Amino acid sequence: MKGRKKIAAGMLCCMCILGVNGCGQADSDNSQNVYVGVTYYDQSDIFLNELLDCFKKEIQDLESEEKKISVTIQGAGGSQRTQDDQVKELIDGGCNVLCVNLVDRTDPSEIIDLAREKQVPIIFFNREPVAEDMAQWEQLYYVGAKAEESGTMQGEMAAEAIKANPQVDRNKDGKIQYVVLEGEPGHQDTIIRTENAVEALKAGEIELEKLSYGLANWNRAQAENRMSQMISQYQTKIELVLANNDEMALGAMDAYEKLNYTESTLPLFFGIDGTKVGLEAVRDSRLSGTVYNDKEGQAKAMAKLAEALVTGDGTENMDFENGKYVYLPYEKVTKEQLE
């Protein structure tokens, strides 16, 4: 019941559209005021847009008569150079704490240097920098989830579904022929989600045969294109589709729908994130399952940490790992849970 309530609340929270003020509109003389600058890798990312809608609500809930809260949010359009420029602009505009979803998680040095020079702490989110970069300065933090947990849960759900439905093995060869739709090259979630999902299936005593994979950059349209290519090669041999996020799982389903495949010839589809459209697809039995990425918990942690870093009060109450990291747990979501 607790999980169902959290998912339902998440759907409501992330549909909120809330106005926010820019950092430059704030009175920077009051050290208790919180002026948050946010930059994220791509404004077309569904999950991040939902997370940031929740973040805007959480940060505004912290505002009081004594303490102003303002937020400026910018999308980097997939360009690290653009994001570097945005960070400089946000700092020059008066932001006293930054929330950064990196375009390139391996290249945060310029952002860190800019922030350190002006003593503006950074909360990285969703895209975890490598440990060496997080060690560059004591005012660097991370809020997100552990990618290995999501992959393991996805694989466990897939194993359970296969055991409950032996007809998934359509050719009766004792193995499940599968394909993977992966995020972008170099992203930790791409590598770890895929590896852990496969390991969990094997641990569940499911015999596997990998047919192919496609990089679709978390994008539904790209996933549809990659899936169409794999269908043309393997026809009805594909029995399972593991996607690193819901958008790519939905893109895979779009490909089958456009090719007019019958339900009896469709593979099982599994996603990760629990976006609004992903949850709807689970409810409609189109998506066999997803792994809920707790955007509400992450948004709340980001807001509380941003406030604490500016006011100097509250960091001792944060649930840190290794002094810098806040991880929120994932949750399995099937149709039975939603109902």
Side-chain angles (χ1 to χ4, degrees):
M1 181 63 70
K2 182 179 178 183
R4 297 189 200 114
K5 287 182 179 178
K6 182 167 71 173
I7 294 164
M11 293 177 69
L12 289 172
C13 173
C14 292
M15 288 188 283
C16 295
I17 305 297
L18 297 164
V20 290
N21 299 316
C23 292
Q25 298 175 27
D27 175 11
S28 59
D29 293 334
N30 190 332
S31 62
Q32 293 298 302
N33 292 341
V34 181
Y35 311 132
V36 189
V38 181
T39 170
Y40 66 121
Y41 92 102
D42 193 331
Q43 49 270 49
S44 68
D45 189 286
I46 301 297
F47 173 77
L48 287 172
N49 286 329
E50 292 182 358
L51 186 155
L52 289 173
D53 281 344
C54 294
F55 175 72
K56 288 184 284 186
K57 181 179 184 301
E58 292 291 344
I59 203 77
Q60 284 196 338
D61 286 347
L62 297 175
E63 193 166 30
S64 65
E65 291 184 5
E66 297 79 23
K67 179 172 55 189
K68 293 180 182 178
I69 304 282
S70 67
V71 182
T72 300
I73 298 178
Q74 299 184 5
S79 167
Q80 188 59 59
R81 181 179 293 276
T82 296
Q83 188 168 67
D84 294 344
D85 292 342
Q86 287 174 344
V87 166
K88 184 177 187 307
E89 178 184 329
L90 290 166
I91 293 172
D92 289 346
C95 291
N96 52 12
V97 61
L98 295 170
C99 293
V100 178
N101 168 250
L102 286 164
V103 174
D104 183 351
R105 64 179 289 263
T106 67
D107 188 23
S109 292
E110 184 168 342
I111 287 174
I112 293 171
D113 289 344
L114 288 166
R116 181 168 46 196
E117 181 182 353
K118 300 295 185 180
Q119 291 297 297
V120 178
I122 302 176
I123 303 168
F124 293 106
F125 66 99
N126 182 255
R127 293 178 168 222
E128 184 176 337
V130 298
E132 291 80 3
D133 287 323
M134 288 292 289
Q136 287 190 43
W137 185 35
E138 66 274 10
Q139 289 295 297
L140 304 178
Y141 300 87
Y142 177 74
V143 174
K146 294 183 178 179
E148 59 269 22
E149 189 176 277
S150 63
T152 297
M153 287 185 174
Q154 185 185 63
E156 289 173 347
M157 282 195 299
E160 291 164 7
I162 291 164
K163 288 178 180 178
N165 300 280
Q167 63 270 26
V168 173
D169 182 14
R170 289 193 301 269
N171 61 6
K172 308 301 180 187
D173 67 348
K175 295 183 288 187
I176 299 300
Q177 279 73 36
Y178 76 101
V179 299
V180 182
L181 285 166
E182 299 185 338
E184 65 199 83
H187 193 294
Q188 81 275 15
D189 285 4
T190 293
I191 300 165
I192 297 173
R193 285 178 176 181
T194 299
E195 290 179 349
N196 282 65
V198 171
E199 288 303 313
L201 276 157
K202 291 178 179 177
E205 300 182 341
I206 304 298
E207 292 291 326
L208 297 171
E209 180 185 353
K210 184 176 182 179
L211 298 179
S212 187
Y213 77 99
L215 284 164
N217 295 296
W218 315 109
N219 182 273
R220 183 169 181 167
Q222 290 187 40
E224 180 187 336
N225 180 266
R226 303 293 182 272
M227 193 72 236
S228 296
Q229 295 170 359
M230 289 188 281
I231 293 170
S232 68
Q233 182 175 358
Y234 296 105
Q235 303 296 317
T236 59
K237 291 180 181 179
I238 302 170
E239 297 168 334
L240 172 65
V241 177
L242 300 173
N244 286 166
N245 74 344
D246 288 348
E247 282 297 286
M248 294 189 293
L250 293 166
M253 292 187 285
D254 292 341
Y256 277 96
E257 185 176 335
K258 288 189 177 180
L259 292 168
N260 295 316
Y261 272 70
T262 62
E263 186 173 346
S264 62
T265 58
L266 292 177
L268 297 181
F269 301 93
F270 286 89
I272 293 174
D273 277 343
T275 60
K276 180 175 180 288
V277 289
L279 294 174
E280 289 172 351
V282 173
R283 181 174 285 112
D284 294 340
S285 299
R286 297 172 61 233
L287 187 60
S288 296
T290 185
V291 183
Y292 197 75
N293 196 352
D294 186 6
K295 47 190 163 286
E296 297 77 43
Q298 292 172 36
K300 180 171 287 194
M302 287 165 59
K304 287 184 174 181
L305 181 54
E307 178 191 38
L309 291 173
V310 173
T311 64
D313 181 26
T315 54
E316 68 279 3
N317 298 321
M318 300 296 298
D319 188 16
F320 288 118
E321 285 192 22
N322 299 322
K324 286 176 171 278
Y325 299 86
V326 179
Y327 294 112
L328 281 296
Y330 285 97
E331 182 181 351
K332 296 177 184 177
V333 183
T334 63
K335 184 178 180 179
E336 288 72 25
Q337 283 181 288
L338 291 177
E339 289 181 343

